[in-house]
């Protein structure tokens, strides 16, 4: 048969490939194969560069604020910065998961105050911090489940689904409290919000722990890989036998849980539960994730990138506060930073092709 | 699985999958009408037909995406009912769709193992066993001479032919008995097409039953052993590739040539 010589040729090509596979990173034989390997390295370089650009921006900002304000680099102020970042960081953990699937969770910002007031009311009525914490986390899980059902069963676009639950959660928090803040947070709970260990606030440790846990889940478990796959190409995921609906549903539940925890942290931090206190944080969490290198089209992003993004925003806030720059200007700056970060990332993406 | 075929030995494969009088309707439209065919091990079977002849419907019935209204499928002699692609897959039927079926942001290994990752269990926790998957992926890629620069390359950085190689790599090596290729070279250049054709041929030579759907008659004649012609949902002819000509097949596809009498 005539095709056998061709097969033999393929055979030798195979062993050449095998050898090249072993030395893929160092060899450069000038064959077409190597361009792709270089591209692949570029990919990894880009991923590192992306995070390191955010890290670089962070270092520059810290340097500038450190010079401009003698107070900035004091341990008391740094304690405050990492304490303030905790809530947004926890929200960003959940938001990152959702964004990696190609979705978005706008409801987070309203779940925070809802979980906060539910937790505070339960704490006051049951005289139990534990019951309150459970109620807060459960509130987040319930809203997350509703989001997941709206997206997977009713096939609502995530933007619309979570906009609807944002509104419903926001309204529920106001209804439950009559628009009044809930005071009398148990001291045991609020001391958790202000305390710390080894110069690190408890709140920050909680955020850090959740971030490490979810980053681990994303990179080391089949579930995490499927989250990326479903965001990268839902059709491919379905054809590979993944249960897309279950995956999508669970990231919204995770995001809801994170929002519930965020609400608890905020309550502990400010010692009151305000029915509409966190309404500005939705942009912060999404901004943190996007600054951290995630794409709103799904399939890419990391938790630790989002954490860097959150930290960048917190440093920017704190530093501009110290320099007496008005909060109005800060809000404008936030917009500039988000647009700038995504623009820089886009330029690099285009350069790759 | 790897049966090296002696030169000049005609391979008579065992029947892997046979369709008996399969029909499928969509509303009032008859997509498949009493179709019977046999797919044999170590043979590349080509399915040709004009647009709308029912090729995709037939493929979907075999891949488990559609269930026939009547007629039966027999996998190695046993009647089976496929209601979901995963059922077909568990029986060793794999389909390679056009480029669609890869996750661009994941690397070659992750794509090959998507949905059936090798896991290491730690009590209730299952973690990805990346080392095992890399080793196994390397075996598959090398074993089938699939041309891929690096197992760690993200799939979006690969050329069309390389992506198709990954898609085929996904499909082989799972105890696969039948592999369905739906227009595997539709989006490829000349050189890459030749490469994939060689790969398809080698799958047949290794004992797999291959069902190739292609519009490209030159390709069909290059790689297939048997050609089935589908016209308006009916199977109008079966030909040994060696005993027919492209113009005869074109005639059968368009209807210029009479359908074979059925027995």
């Amino acid at each position: 048969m005539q095709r056998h010589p061709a097969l033999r040729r393929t055979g030798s090509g195979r062993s050449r490939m095998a050898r090249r596979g072993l030395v893929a990173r160092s060899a450069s034989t000038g064959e077409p194969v190597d361009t792709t390997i270089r591209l692949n390295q570029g990919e990894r370089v880009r991923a590192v560069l992306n995070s390191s650009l955010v890290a670089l921006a962070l270092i520059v900002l810290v340097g500038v604020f450190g010079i401009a304000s003698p107070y900035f680099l004091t341990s008391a102020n740094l304690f405050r910065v990492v304490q303030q970042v905790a809530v947004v960081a926890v929200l960003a953990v959940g938001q990152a998961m959702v964004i990696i699937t190609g979705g978005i969770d706008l409801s987070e910002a309203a779940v925070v105050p809802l979980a906060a007031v539910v937790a505070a009311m339960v704490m006051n009525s049951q005289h139990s911090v534990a019951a309150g914490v459970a109620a807060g986390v459960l509130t987040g899980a319930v809203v997350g489940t509703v989001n997941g059902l709206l997206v997977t069963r009713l096939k609502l676009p995530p933007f619309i689904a979570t906009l609807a639950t944002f509104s419903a959660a926001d309204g529920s928090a106001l209804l439950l409290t009559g628009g009044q803040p809930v005071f009398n947070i148990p001291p045991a709970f609020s001391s958790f919000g202000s305390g710390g260990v080894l110069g690190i606030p408890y709140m920050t440790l909680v955020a850090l722990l959740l971030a490490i846990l979810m980053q681990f889940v994303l990179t080391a478990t089949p579930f995490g890989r499927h989250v990326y796959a479903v965001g990268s190409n839902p059709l491919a995921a379905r054809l590979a036998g993944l249960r897309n609906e279950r995956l999508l549903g669970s990231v919204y539940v995770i995001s809801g849980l994170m929002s519930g925890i965020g609400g608890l942290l905020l309550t502990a931090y400010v010692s009151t539960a305000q029915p509409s206190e966190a309404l500005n944080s939705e942009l912060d969490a999404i901004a943190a994730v996007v600054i951290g290198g995630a794409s709103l089209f799904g399939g890419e992003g990391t938790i630790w990138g989002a954490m860097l993004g959150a930290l960048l925003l917190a440093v920017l806030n704190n530093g501009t506060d110290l320099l007496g720059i008005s909060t109005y200007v800060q809000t404008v700056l936030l917009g500039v930073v988000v647009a700038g970060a995504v623009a820089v990332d886009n330029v690099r993406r285009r350069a790759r092709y | 699985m790897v049966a090296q075929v002696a030169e000049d030995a005609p391979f008579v494969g065992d029947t892997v999958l046979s369709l008996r009088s399969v029909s499928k309707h969509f509303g009032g439209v008859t997509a498949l009408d009493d179709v019977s065919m046999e797919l044999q091990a170590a043979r590349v079977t080509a399915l040709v037909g004009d647009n709308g002849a029912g090729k995709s419907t037939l493929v979907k019935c075999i891949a488990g995406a559609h269930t026939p209204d009547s007629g039966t499928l027999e996998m190695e002699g046993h009647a089976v009912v496929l209601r979901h692609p995963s059922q077909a897959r568990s029986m060793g039927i794999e389909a390679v769709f056009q480029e669609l079926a890869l996750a661009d942001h994941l690397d070659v290994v992750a794509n090959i193992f998507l949905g059936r990752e090798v896991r290491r269990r730690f009590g209730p926790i299952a973690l990805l066993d990346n080392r095992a998957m890399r080793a196994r992926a390397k075996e598959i890629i090398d074993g089938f001479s699939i041309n891929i620069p690096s197992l760690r390359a993200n799939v979006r950085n690969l050329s069309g032919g390389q992506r198709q190689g990954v898609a085929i790599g996904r499909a082989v090596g799972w105890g696969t008995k039948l592999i369905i290729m739906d227009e595997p070279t539709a989006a490829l250049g000349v050189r890459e097409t030749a490469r994939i054709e060689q790969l398809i041929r080698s799958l047949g030579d290794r004992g797999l039953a291959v069902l190739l759907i292609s519009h490209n008659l030159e390709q069909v004649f290059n790689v297939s052993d048997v050609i089935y012609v589908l016209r308006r949902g009916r199977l109008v002819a079966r030909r040994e590739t060696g005993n027919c000509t492209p113009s005869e097949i074109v005639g059968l596809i368009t209807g210029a040539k009479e359908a074979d009498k059925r027995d």
Side-chain angles (χ1 to χ4, degrees):
Chain A
M1 287 198 307
Q2 292 131 321
R3 64 178 92 95
H4 277 221
L7 281 177
R8 273 198 292 275
R9 271 206 303 281
T10 321
S12 69
R14 183 196 321 162
S15 62
R16 227 177 29 232
M17 249 184 55
R19 265 185 279 129
R20 201 172 287 138
L22 286 174
V23 291
R25 257 169 274 170
S26 60
S28 161
T29 56
E31 299 218 4
V33 153
D34 293 310
T35 39
T36 323
I37 288 172
R38 245 178 269 128
L39 265 176
N40 179 41
Q41 282 174 338
E43 184 90 13
R44 260 175 267 163
V45 169
R46 192 190 76 86
V48 174
L49 200 69
N50 189 41
S51 319
S52 53
L53 265 186
V54 179
L56 191 71
L58 196 56
I59 290 165
V60 169
L61 272 184
V62 168
V64 168
F65 291 139
I67 293 164
S69 162
Y71 183 67
F72 180 78
L73 284 176
T74 60
S75 59
N77 186 55
L78 292 178
F79 187 91
R80 260 169 68 85
V81 172
V82 293
Q83 190 173 33
Q84 282 171 336
V85 82
V87 174
V88 171
V90 170
L91 296 186
V93 168
Q95 192 69 252
M97 301 281 289
V98 172
I99 286 179
I100 288 170
T101 67
I104 195 149
D105 188 354
L106 300 177
S107 71
E108 279 194 331
V111 174
V112 167
L114 179 62
V117 297
V118 168
M121 290 169 89
V122 170
M123 275 180 203
N124 285 345
S125 65
Q126 304 297 313
H127 304 288
S128 157
V129 171
V133 167
V137 172
L138 192 68
T139 305
V142 167
V143 179
T145 306
V146 172
N147 283 333
L149 291 175
L150 290 177
V151 170
T152 58
R153 299 267 180 245
L154 298 186
K155 309 285 177 201
L156 296 188
F159 190 97
I160 304 297
T162 58
L163 186 63
T165 48
F166 172 95
S167 190
D170 187 24
S172 306
L174 291 166
L175 270 176
L176 280 174
T177 59
Q180 299 302 310
V182 183
F183 298 105
N184 304 324
I185 303 300
F189 190 60
S190 44
S191 66
F192 179 84
S194 51
V197 61
L198 299 171
I200 305 169
Y202 292 129
M203 288 172 62
T204 311
L205 287 176
V206 170
L208 205 60
L209 214 65
L210 289 172
I212 291 169
L213 176 73
M214 291 323 287
Q215 180 68 62
F216 179 78
V217 165
L218 273 181
T219 46
T221 68
F223 171 77
R225 177 155 295 174
H226 297 166
V227 166
Y228 280 101
V230 84
S232 176
N233 185 347
L235 181 65
R238 194 180 303 281
L239 288 173
L242 305 190
R243 282 177 260 184
N244 292 11
E245 280 74 25
R246 242 175 61 173
L247 279 166
L248 289 178
S250 38
V251 296
Y252 286 96
V253 173
I254 290 171
S255 183
L257 282 171
M258 293 300 154
S259 310
I261 294 170
L264 289 169
L265 291 181
L266 191 61
T267 307
Y269 180 51
V270 297
S271 296
T272 38
Q274 308 259 5
S276 59
E277 64 199 332
L279 290 183
N280 290 322
S281 61
E282 82 270 32
L283 183 58
D284 285 6
I286 295 169
V289 174
V290 170
I291 290 171
S295 157
L296 289 177
F297 296 108
E300 52 191 334
T302 58
I303 302 289
W304 64 291
M307 294 303 100
L308 278 178
L311 198 56
L312 182 80
L313 292 178
V315 165
L316 197 63
N317 260 335
N318 177 270
T320 45
D321 265 347
L322 290 179
L323 297 182
I325 297 170
S326 88
T327 49
Y328 304 149
V329 175
Q330 289 179 17
T331 313
V332 174
L333 265 180
L334 170 65
V336 172
V337 168
V338 170
V342 178
V344 168
D345 197 38
N346 270 351
V347 168
R348 257 203 321 277
R349 256 171 242 252
R350 244 175 284 141
R352 196 182 52 202
Y353 288 109
Chain B
M1 173 171 74
V2 182
Q4 203 54 51
V5 180
E7 286 204 25
D8 294 335
F11 23 63
V12 184
D14 299 331
T15 298
V16 173
L17 182 80
S18 50
L19 283 73
R20 304 226 184 281
S21 304
V22 166
S23 297
K24 177 79 186 172
H25 308 272
F26 295 103
V29 181
T30 303
L32 292 176
D33 184 8
D34 195 21
V35 171
S36 298
M37 68 190 294
E38 300 208 329
L39 303 173
Q40 291 166 328
R43 305 196 89 180
V44 176
T45 305
L47 181 64
V48 298
D50 215 341
N51 290 335
K55 302 191 297 287
S56 310
T57 309
L58 186 59
V59 165
K60 284 178 180 159
C61 285
I62 297 173
H66 287 334
T67 309
D69 296 332
S70 63
T72 52
L73 271 67
E74 283 178 19
M75 187 74 190
E76 296 179 319
H78 305 285
V80 293
V81 179
L82 305 175
R83 300 200 180 280
H84 192 270
S86 62
Q87 285 178 321
R89 197 172 291 136
S90 68
M91 288 176 191
I93 301 174
E94 290 279 343
V96 176
F97 297 98
Q98 296 187 18
E99 289 195 24
L100 301 171
L102 298 176
D104 270 351
H105 299 85
L106 300 183
D107 68 9
V108 172
V109 179
N111 267 289
I112 288 178
F113 283 87
L114 188 58
R116 42 195 162 193
E117 289 82 4
V118 180
R119 292 148 199 240
R120 274 181 305 163
R121 291 214 154 268
F122 295 94
I125 304 164
L127 300 182
L128 296 168
D129 190 344
N130 286 314
R131 184 178 300 194
M133 285 191 274
R134 249 193 315 275
R136 180 79 186 101
K138 190 166 158 45
E139 271 176 41
I140 294 172
I141 296 291
D142 290 353
F144 286 89
S145 307
I146 296 168
N147 175 30
I148 288 163
S150 159
L151 289 173
R152 299 211 187 191
N154 271 5
V155 163
R156 68 173 154 194
N157 291 331
L158 301 183
S159 71
Q162 290 167 340
R163 292 167 59 89
Q164 197 61 281
V166 176
I168 293 170
R170 262 183 67 74
V172 296
W174 309 94
T176 307
K177 291 166 184 159
L178 166 62
I179 176 162
I180 306 165
M181 308 250 204
D182 192 355
E183 296 286 358
T185 60
L188 304 186
V190 176
R191 257 177 59 188
E192 300 208 301
T193 297
R195 175 112 215 153
I196 295 299
E197 283 176 3
Q198 209 177 70
L199 182 53
I200 294 170
R201 200 49 261 172
S202 74
L203 296 177
D205 291 346
R206 280 151 196 269
L208 287 169
V210 180
L211 177 61
L212 170 71
I213 290 84
S214 179
H215 271 106
N216 179 344
L217 278 191
E218 193 189 333
Q219 176 171 79
V220 166
F221 274 82
N222 274 342
V223 304
S224 75
D225 301 297
V226 187
I227 302 173
Y228 281 94
V229 183
L230 208 54
R231 186 167 76 222
R232 292 188 191 165
R234 298 185 71 90
L235 211 48
V236 293
R238 176 190 186 281
R239 292 282 184 277
E240 297 283 329
T241 307
N243 298 334
C244 65
T245 62
S247 59
E248 183 185 2
I249 297 295
V250 170
L252 286 163
I253 290 173
T254 57
K257 197 172 180 313
E258 277 296 299
D260 293 356
K261 291 276 183 307
R262 308 205 44 180
D263 29 55

